Amino acid sequence: MPETTIFYTTKAQDIAQSLSQSLGVESFEIYINQFPDSEWYVRVPEEAPDTDVIFVHRLFPNQNDSLLQMFFILSEFSARGQRVVLVVPYFPYAKMHKKVMSGEVVTARSITQWLSRTVEKIVTLDCHFIKREGAVDMWGAHFFNLSAAETLLNIARDRSEDPCVVSPDEGARYLARGTTEHYTLKKVRGEYKYGGAGFQRYARTEGRLDVEGRDVYVLDDMISTGGTMAKAVSLAREAGANSVVAMATHGLFVRGADKKIIESGADEIIVTNSIISPYSKVDISPLIASYFSEMKEKD
Ligand code: R5P
């Protein structure tokens, strides 16, 4: 790997510092402030060496502001002619990756296409529109999609002799690959609501769970409003599970999602620190660090 410097925003300081230590690479914080009229002020230290860049940023919460900050920072690296690998543990707008109604803007593609012109590679985790681990080219951008699934599943294996894994919908099935006992539930979509916010509602979750007396781990890529997870948790409870743990890579916890999941019968919620929350019990920094270490060895 050519000489590299890490740059980070304050909200990604923990990951950047851990990466800096593991890779033995210097790191620099990017200063961000707001003008009185709410526009962003950004300063990317110029005393840092003129090398390739690993830029670490969190894009949630406040994804719209965080994206704009990212845009300004990446524009500065471009102006300086520096090559950038972007590390964003959670990729926002990922659920808007296809048109459902005509005229809808595929915002996941818009962001990706813009990034494809600005960065060499995007390193992210369990990205909703990729759904597999490894190197993937999409909409002109080179992604490396890491997965926290194995780390989460190892928690289940450590805690229970015979854990039973449930995917709350078909899209999440890939996360549970390699597990011995595994059920996939089916999300049945309801009517598409188009109002102040356009979104697709689902009516119900279907599927039979033969989990009486078992320790159940429901594993998804993300918990947003908690509806998907809560439905799977209550089905496991109704089927007589001994314990139910709600697990996901990304915990957005929108609109009281955590309360909803606990009330549906979960004993515990476990997510990673891709987004920081009280339920972030898995640190993703080692996953990111080992990706870069492997890249370094290959060069
Ligand atoms: C959907 O396909 C995703 O994998 C998640 O299941 C979904 O985004 C979770 O959203 P919510 O928590 O709002 O049900």
Side-chain angles (χ1 to χ4, degrees):
M1 196 190 255
E3 242 193 300
T4 305
T5 307
I6 296 171
F7 285 84
Y8 61 91
T9 52
T10 316
K11 59 204 279 192
Q13 185 175 26
D14 55 330
I15 300 171
Q17 285 184 345
S18 157
L19 204 53
S20 164
Q21 270 189 354
S22 318
L23 302 180
V25 165
E26 250 190 309
S27 63
F28 291 84
E29 182 168 349
I30 295 168
Y31 179 73
I32 299 179
N33 209 333
Q34 226 163 359
F35 288 109
D37 58 4
S38 88
E39 291 177 3
W40 292 110
Y41 169 89
V42 182
R43 198 182 87 80
V44 182
E46 276 195 285
E47 56 274 27
D50 180 17
T51 63
D52 284 354
V53 167
I54 297 174
F55 169 42
V56 194
H57 187 36
R58 272 196 179 90
L59 292 171
F60 194 93
N62 307 322
Q63 58 275 51
N64 299 320
D65 277 339
S66 304
L67 282 166
L68 192 58
Q69 293 165 357
M70 180 184 79
F71 163 84
F72 292 134
I73 294 162
L74 292 177
S75 305
E76 176 60 20
F77 288 129
S78 291
R80 293 183 193 178
Q82 285 176 288
R83 298 194 311 172
V84 179
V85 173
L86 173 70
V87 178
V88 282
Y90 170 72
F91 196 98
Y93 286 86
K95 286 208 271 189
M96 195 59 208
H97 63 101
K98 61 179 178 210
K99 272 188 210 292
V100 177
M101 288 178 75
S102 73
E104 282 178 342
V105 177
V106 179
T107 40
R109 184 184 58 203
S110 315
I111 296 168
T112 304
Q113 285 178 335
W114 184 81
L115 286 173
S116 73
R117 294 188 285 271
T118 323
V119 300
E120 298 290 308
K121 195 185 287 179
I122 304 158
V123 177
T124 190
L125 257 98
D126 292 319
C127 177
H128 187 73
F129 57 77
I130 297 182
K131 298 213 186 300
R132 72 181 170 87
E133 215 173 339
V136 174
D137 287 348
M138 196 146 175
W139 295 316
H142 305 304
F143 280 90
F144 198 94
N145 189 38
L146 296 162
S147 182
E150 201 50 30
T151 315
L152 291 165
L153 290 169
N154 280 339
I155 296 178
R157 290 175 191 124
D158 284 349
R159 289 188 180 188
S160 312
E161 227 168 75
D162 192 18
C164 186
V165 179
V166 171
S167 302
D169 62 24
E170 286 163 330
R173 183 165 46 198
Y174 80 103
L175 295 166
R177 74 231 171 271
T179 49
T180 44
E181 199 166 351
H182 172 227
Y183 292 91
T184 304
L185 295 169
K186 188 171 162 50
K187 222 189 249 185
V188 180
R189 301 281 177 186
E191 267 185 26
Y192 194 75
K193 300 257 172 178
Y194 198 56
F199 57 91
Q200 193 175 20
R201 268 188 189 277
Y202 65 90
R204 58 189 190 279
T205 296
E206 288 178 348
R208 217 181 84 79
L209 298 178
D210 195 5
V211 295
E212 192 168 351
R214 304 287 301 278
D215 293 331
V216 171
Y217 296 83
V218 185
L219 177 62
D220 206 352
D221 61 346
M222 67 169 100
I223 295 170
S224 179
T225 64
T228 308
M229 185 57 81
K231 285 195 164 118
V233 168
S234 22
L235 282 177
R237 276 289 170 214
E238 281 161 25
N242 173 52
S243 67
V244 186
V245 179
M247 285 177 154
T249 303
H250 312 292
L252 285 72
F253 300 113
V254 176
R255 289 196 243 140
D258 48 349
K259 193 163 171 265
K260 194 187 288 175
I261 293 167
I262 296 295
E263 282 174 359
S264 71
D267 296 293
E268 192 181 350
I269 302 172
I270 302 179
V271 293
T272 77
N273 60 350
S274 66
I275 294 166
I276 295 171
S277 77
Y279 308 98
S280 300
K281 298 170 190 168
V282 171
D283 181 14
I284 51 151
S285 308
L287 268 175
I288 299 172
S290 54
Y291 164 74
F292 281 103
S293 302
E294 278 172 31
M295 287 297 110
K296 204 171 170 181
E297 271 168 32
K298 278 189 192 159
D299 281 344

